[in-house]
Amino acid sequence: MKNLLFYFCAIIFCFNCTKQKEVPTIPSADEVIKLTEKVANWQIKTFEEQGKYRALPAPENRKKWHNRNKHHELEWTNGVLYAGMFQLSEVSRYPKYINWLVELGDRNKWRLYERIYHADDHTVGQFYLNLHQNNRLKHIAKIGPTKATFDSIINSEKGKEYQWDWCDALFMAPPVWARLSKITKDSTYLEYMDKQFHMTYNELWDKEVQLFYRDKSYFDTKEKNGKKIFWSRGNGWVFGGLALLIPDLPKDWEGRNFYENTFKQIAETLKKTQREDGAWSAGLLGDVKDYPNLETSGTSFFAFGIAWGINNGLLDKETYEPILFKAWSALEKCVNQDGMLGYVQPIGAAPGESFKDYTEVYGIGAFLAAGSEMYTYLNTFYPIDKQTSHTTFMEDGGWCWYQDPRVIISNEKLIIGGLSGQSGDVRVGVFDLKSEQQDSTLVLHEKLQVDDHNVPALHRRSDGSILAMWAKHTSEKIHYYNISSSNDYTKWGATKKFNHEYDDKRGVTYMNLYYLKNEGKLYNFFRDGLNFNPTLITSTDEGETWGNRTHFITNDVEGFQRPYARYLQIDENTIGVSYTDAHPRAFGNNLYYVEYKDNAFFNVDGSKIKSLNEGPLRSSEAEKLYTGSHTKKKAIVNESVPNSAWTCAMAKDENNNPHIGYTLYLDDSDHRYRITTWDGEKWNDREIAFAGKCLYKVESSYTGLFAFDPEDPTNVYISTDVNPSTGEDLGGNHEIYSAKIGVDDDISTIKWQSITTDSPHRNIRPIVVANDGYKVLLWLYGPWHNYLNYDSNVIGKILEKPE
């Protein structure tokens, strides 16, 4: 009985211990990014009056730099803010953060601050070089001034001396030197950084505690409890700096292990010194009673570094995740309702006090880096699933919008062309509309390339079989194609190739399949690699063989330009074409419309323009629907030229009159949707909705797009992340809306109805298809960052079924 009682008591004891053990709450990725953006928005708004909110020590402890003046924009204090702001710009949907940085860099002519040898004055170079690594910003973000300064340091006698004799310097300078080495492919900068870093390490690293002294003046100082003084933010500088530095070190460089090991050793000490409240004291080894306040600058750097370390495999997830979550929980409590981060220790060199209602720009920079890396962490290890109340027609599929048809209905089946964002497989989904069940998803081309431009175009042949045709995104001069069984769309034949022969290394892209009955020809309209112009090949056996390569439309805007075309079957013998005369990134372009039949080009009123035998249509020879800004000039922060257009949707009404939908770029955060409709006598052009922000910065003219009902183009479906009628930012993802739009309606009269609401992922690129009594609305849903980085499903709803 005694033994039984002993075991019972032991079980109760163990149960109570387990019950009392605190399990950190997993934050929401959406809440993390919104809080991080809130802090960034507050800082941008108050940037010019930053002194008003500055944390200052007690009057008796103030130095000359403790004042209410705005820091110079090139000082290290702001440089740290910019580093964090750049990290946020990499994960946020809002272009404002990277645009703010571009404006700052341009305003200051991309130069470093005043002191040539001082690490603090190298800090701003971090965001210069980060922006320069963006292919679209290379011509804007200049690295010349940074390179010239570093060259002068390397070539001077003073530069060979020990420069970085305080641990903060290991955040300020090393990431800039390593990144410059990576960009220029010149190891001289890496070698200089490595030598200076080791000098600092050899002097300030404590092997026993595995932390850095702030500088040598602290070797013999002690905390009140008798332990050594190791400053939280000082080691935060090092730890956060290593998280920025290590990614730019060559993977095969023998010196890389030193930096990774140092990072892991600091992390081990941080694991032991975290407080119960999730923060770290300003003095890492001091008693909590001696540091009663939270301190957010050091804690933010540690949270950033730990999240980065797990994300990149340097730290064990099971060990460090609880530490990370506790740290974030502490930090988020320090953000006030306006978005200001409090409890940032003032400028200093040792542990000190912090204040609830005051902040400092470098602390906010550290917080932005932490929130951005935390968001990446949660999306990696705790992704939001793609469950939805709408029908999932196909999993793991994506598409661009210059290939058509991408979806067709045949034999009560929905046939969907898609490109996997995970494997790069070319895929075809088969969905049974009668039973409303997925039949199968077939891989037509395994691991072709992760790029949504590679989605196949589809065509239903006269025997009921389906032709699929695809190509890589300009990297091959090859069209691939395959044909299904006529009565079982889960069975396909052998893939064939059509090889283009021309003297240019660039390849083809954008397939569009349309049949002209009177010619007995199937057309494949595509963009050619030879001139980046719309070109065609044809088939007289419904896609078994191809030939007759012909230049279709040529650009006449000065410089290297590329008309972008969309196609519409007006009738069995006519194809309508809407196209731009240039890319919005390069020119404030125009929008045109032409009809092609009987081997000739015609205006919408039937008047002939020219025969294709006379040569390709020059872009300006057709009827202009929209006149752009006709300039290549754009603001430093705009990736595209204002007042430029994309053609994005086409349909015809019962009288075969074309309806053309297009997007209008005003700036990165303001796009509009417009429709122009031919009524038999004239074009009726009007604005119908606010399209919201760009999908991503590199292609800032990209929107969520919209679609017409092919049987009734007055039914319109759009994707936007703002209120479609007012442009109000709703703070969420792109949602799908629908409206009935007559010829006299415009944005002031249209009533939009939401189809999706409060979605955790983007809903973009809608399509409506109809045939045999069925009508289906489809769109892409899931994490979608850019054309090379997405994980979307094809979802939607069946709008109509035959009775």
Side-chain angles (χ1 to χ4, degrees):
M1 177 63 76
K2 288 183 177 179
N3 286 340
L4 184 61
L5 182 61
F6 171 81
Y7 286 124
F8 178 77
C9 292
I11 290 170
I12 295 297
F13 177 79
C14 291
F15 175 78
N16 285 337
C17 286
T18 303
K19 186 176 181 180
Q20 291 172 3
K21 184 178 180 180
E22 183 180 351
V23 178
T25 302
I26 300 174
S28 156
D30 188 54
E31 291 173 356
V32 167
I33 193 66
K34 285 183 177 179
L35 182 64
T36 307
E37 289 169 343
K38 182 178 182 178
V39 172
N41 294 341
W42 179 88
Q43 181 61 84
I44 290 173
K45 181 180 178 180
T46 62
F47 185 66
E48 294 302 321
E49 51 178 353
Q50 58 186 243
K52 175 181 177 182
Y53 305 96
R54 177 166 301 136
L56 298 176
E60 63 272 18
N61 296 325
R62 292 180 187 176
K63 307 293 185 182
K64 62 179 181 180
W65 54 79
H66 290 128
N67 55 58
R68 296 288 178 195
N69 302 325
K70 177 189 173 185
H71 296 305
H72 191 285
E73 289 183 350
L74 299 183
E75 281 194 76
W76 65 269
T77 48
N78 282 319
V80 181
L81 169 64
Y82 308 152
M85 195 72 74
F86 178 81
Q87 297 297 315
L88 176 58
S89 76
E90 291 284 272
V91 297
S92 174
R93 298 186 306 271
Y94 289 85
K96 65 187 294 183
Y97 308 118
I98 196 167
N99 287 346
W100 188 70
L101 292 174
V102 169
E103 283 184 315
L104 279 163
D106 186 61
R107 182 162 67 235
N108 290 285
K109 302 187 185 307
W110 308 98
R111 59 190 174 87
L112 301 181
Y113 201 32
E114 298 170 340
R115 296 169 294 181
I116 291 177
Y117 298 96
H118 204 293
D120 284 357
D121 290 3
H122 301 168
T123 313
V124 292
Q126 290 189 38
F127 95 86
Y128 297 164
L129 299 182
N130 278 330
L131 293 178
H132 184 79
Q133 290 182 104
N134 182 317
N135 283 332
R136 304 299 185 200
L137 297 176
K138 282 183 184 296
H139 65 290
I140 296 173
K142 310 298 184 185
I143 65 171
T146 300
K147 184 178 182 301
T149 298
F150 285 7
D151 287 344
S152 68
I153 293 172
I154 290 173
N155 294 324
S156 69
E157 288 303 313
K158 184 175 179 179
K160 297 179 176 63
E161 299 171 2
Y162 179 24
Q163 298 293 335
W164 304 339
D165 58 358
W166 74 110
C167 72
D168 314 27
L170 299 184
F171 178 96
M172 310 301 173
V176 191
W177 285 85
R179 197 160 298 139
L180 184 62
S181 179
K182 178 182 177 182
I183 290 173
T184 61
K185 297 181 173 56
D186 186 343
S187 62
T188 306
Y189 305 110
L190 180 64
E191 291 164 2
Y192 182 88
M193 182 282 295
D194 188 49
K195 183 177 180 180
Q196 287 289 336
F197 197 111
H198 275 81
M199 288 181 188
T200 309
Y201 176 88
N202 292 338
E203 180 179 39
L204 301 181
W205 177 252
D206 187 292
K207 294 181 180 179
E208 177 189 5
V209 181
Q210 297 188 137
L211 289 172
F212 281 85
Y213 289 100
R214 196 277 174 176
D215 58 58
K216 64 183 180 181
S217 68
Y218 292 90
F219 289 167
D220 298 321
T221 58
K222 304 292 182 182
E223 296 279 3
K224 290 181 181 180
N225 62 9
K227 295 183 179 181
K228 300 175 182 178
I229 292 181
F230 291 101
W231 184 30
S232 174
R233 187 164 72 234
N235 281 275
W237 290 127
V238 182
F239 196 59
L242 285 168
L244 295 174
L245 168 68
I246 293 171
D248 287 330
L249 302 179
K251 293 191 184 307
D252 58 352
W253 180 48
E254 60 182 9
R256 184 182 176 108
N257 285 340
F258 162 77
Y259 295 94
E260 292 184 348
N261 289 336
T262 302
F263 177 86
K264 289 186 280 190
Q265 288 170 335
I266 296 173
E268 181 68 23
T269 302
L270 296 178
K271 182 178 66 175
K272 301 171 185 175
T273 55
Q274 187 179 32
R275 298 167 19 156
E276 284 299 314
D277 61 12
W280 282 267
S281 294
L284 288 171
L285 303 187
D287 288 335
V288 175
K289 62 181 176 61
D290 295 326
Y291 297 102
N293 285 352
L294 295 171
E295 201 294 298
T296 55
S297 61
T299 298
S300 292
F301 278 125
F302 296 148
F304 165 57
I306 290 169
W308 178 86
I310 305 172
N311 284 338
N312 290 276
L314 268 69
L315 300 180
D316 175 65
K317 176 179 179 293
E318 184 176 351
T319 301
Y320 284 94
E321 182 182 88
I323 297 169
L324 174 62
F325 287 172
K326 284 179 65 177
W328 182 256
S329 178
L331 287 170
E332 63 184 359
K333 292 182 179 71
C334 297
V335 178
N336 71 17
Q337 61 183 5
D338 295 326
M340 187 195 79
L341 174 73
Y343 293 110
V344 178
Q345 185 191 336
I347 296 174
E353 55 193 338
S354 60
F355 309 94
K356 175 184 176 182
D357 297 320
Y358 289 94
T359 190
E360 184 56 284
V361 287
Y362 50 76
I364 287 177
F367 179 89
L368 299 184
S372 303
E373 197 66 35
M374 184 74 170
Y375 179 70
T376 299
Y377 178 88
L378 293 168
N379 281 319
T380 301
F381 294 105
Y382 299 96
I384 302 170
D385 66 38
K386 290 175 283 184
Q387 271 194 320
T388 171
S389 60
H390 297 286
T391 302
T392 298
F393 295 116
M394 177 184 177
E395 296 178 352
D396 190 17
W399 54 55
C400 187
W401 76 97
Y402 277 105
Q403 302 93 337
D404 278 310
R406 286 157 280 166
V407 185
I408 59 177
I409 295 173
S410 180
N411 296 334
E412 298 188 306
K413 307 288 187 183
L414 187 67
I415 317 300
I416 306 165
L419 197 288
S420 167
Q422 308 309 296
S423 64
D425 292 346
V426 176
R427 314 178 87 219
V428 170
V430 183
F431 185 92
D432 188 283
L433 290 170
K434 189 173 183 179
S435 66
E436 299 189 18
Q437 297 291 324
Q438 291 184 34
D439 275 3
S440 185
T441 298
L442 296 308
V443 176
L444 299 185
H445 197 142
E446 188 175 354
K447 297 180 181 178
L448 175 69
Q449 187 183 47
V450 176
D451 187 323
D452 69 9
H453 296 70
N454 303 348
V455 62
L458 307 174
H459 171 71
R460 187 183 187 277
R461 304 168 81 229
S462 58
D463 65 356
S465 61
I466 305 296
L467 166 69
M469 201 161 194
W470 64 94
K472 283 188 175 182
H473 183 198
T474 72
S475 58
E476 282 185 342
K477 295 184 282 189
I478 300 172
H479 277 113
Y480 300 91
Y481 60 102
N482 202 330
I483 299 173
S484 76
S485 166
S486 59
N487 54 18
D488 186 350
Y489 297 142
T490 66
K491 296 180 179 178
W492 291 72
T495 296
K496 299 180 182 180
K497 297 180 183 180
F498 179 83
N499 291 281
H500 293 265
E501 296 181 3
Y502 53 81
D503 293 329
D504 197 291
K505 64 180 180 180
R506 296 171 300 187
V508 297
T509 191
Y510 300 136
M511 282 59 59
N512 296 269
L513 298 172
Y514 292 90
Y515 188 76
L516 294 182
K517 184 176 180 181
N518 61 344
E519 297 182 20
K521 289 181 182 178
L522 177 63
Y523 279 73
N524 176 25
F525 299 96
F526 61 94
R527 191 178 78 184
D528 198 15
L530 181 60
N531 46 39
F532 271 34
N533 285 179
T535 301
L536 64 88
I537 53 177
T538 60
S539 172
T540 56
D541 50 18
E542 295 192 89
E544 294 281 358
T545 59
W546 294 88
N548 188 36
R549 176 185 160 85
T550 306
H551 193 178
F552 189 56
I553 300 174
T554 187
N555 60 291
D556 53 11
V557 175
E558 181 183 3
F560 176 73
Q561 299 294 347
R562 37 189 149 162
Y564 282 80
R566 287 184 61 83
Y567 305 87
L568 172 68
Q569 194 90 46
I570 297 294
D571 59 40
E572 59 187 12
N573 298 316
T574 307
I575 298 169
V577 188
S578 65
Y579 62 89
T580 64
D581 53 4
H583 194 299
R585 194 170 55 238
F587 184 71
N589 58 17
N590 308 299
L591 183 67
Y592 297 88
Y593 178 77
V594 70
E595 292 184 348
Y596 176 75
K597 59 185 176 181
D598 300 326
N599 201 44
F601 299 99
F602 295 84
N603 289 313
V604 69
D605 63 6
S607 58
K608 185 175 180 179
I609 300 174
K610 66 189 291 186
S611 169
L612 184 56
N613 293 333
E614 300 172 48
L617 180 76
R618 298 199 67 82
S619 57
S620 61
E621 290 180 311
E623 190 166 10
K624 187 186 294 185
L625 304 182
Y626 169 78
T627 301
S629 58
H630 279 227
T631 180
K632 297 180 181 179
K633 295 181 180 179
K634 52 188 177 183
I636 193 75
V637 297
N638 285 344
E639 181 59 29
S640 299
V641 180
N643 294 308
S644 54
W646 279 114
T647 174
C648 73
M650 297 180 71
K652 62 177 182 176
D653 60 27
E654 59 185 4
N655 298 315
N656 286 343
N657 291 326
H659 294 235
I660 312 299
Y662 63 101
T663 67
L664 179 62
Y665 173 85
L666 299 179
D667 62 46
D668 290 2
S669 296
D670 189 2
H671 298 71
R672 307 294 174 90
Y673 289 137
R674 301 184 66 88
I675 291 176
T676 184
T677 304
W678 177 254
D679 64 10
E681 296 181 355
K682 65 182 185 302
W683 291 98
N684 300 279
D685 186 79
R686 64 271 195 207
E687 185 174 294
I688 64 163
F690 287 87
K693 300 181 288 295
C694 62
L695 287 188
Y696 62 104
K697 176 64 180 178
V698 172
E699 295 289 3
S700 64
S701 55
Y702 281 17
T703 69
L705 303 179
F706 72 96
F708 293 111
D709 179 337
E711 295 182 332
D712 182 1
T714 63
N715 295 323
V716 180
Y717 302 86
I718 67 170
S719 166
T720 181
D721 64 350
V722 299
N723 183 311
S725 299
T726 67
E728 177 192 0
D729 189 342
L730 302 177
N733 286 304
H734 282 72
E735 307 286 1
I736 303 295
Y737 297 83
S738 66
K740 191 81 171 179
I741 303 177
V743 69
D744 295 322
D745 285 320
D746 62 19
I747 196 168
S748 66
T749 61
I750 297 167
K751 305 297 183 185
W752 291 102
Q753 302 295 319
S754 60
I755 293 177
T756 65
T757 55
D758 299 323
S759 301
H761 297 297
R762 282 172 162 170
N763 302 271
I764 62 172
R765 299 183 175 173
I767 297 174
V768 183
V769 291
N771 194 29
D772 298 335
Y774 290 97
K775 186 177 296 180
V776 183
L777 167 66
L778 313 91
W779 63 87
L780 302 181
Y781 174 69
W784 200 97
H785 307 288
N786 58 56
Y787 72 102
L788 299 174
N789 183 2
Y790 57 91
D791 184 14
S792 56
N793 289 344
V794 180
I795 72 168
K797 58 190 300 186
I798 299 173
L799 301 174
E800 296 179 13
K801 295 182 73 170
E803 297 180 1

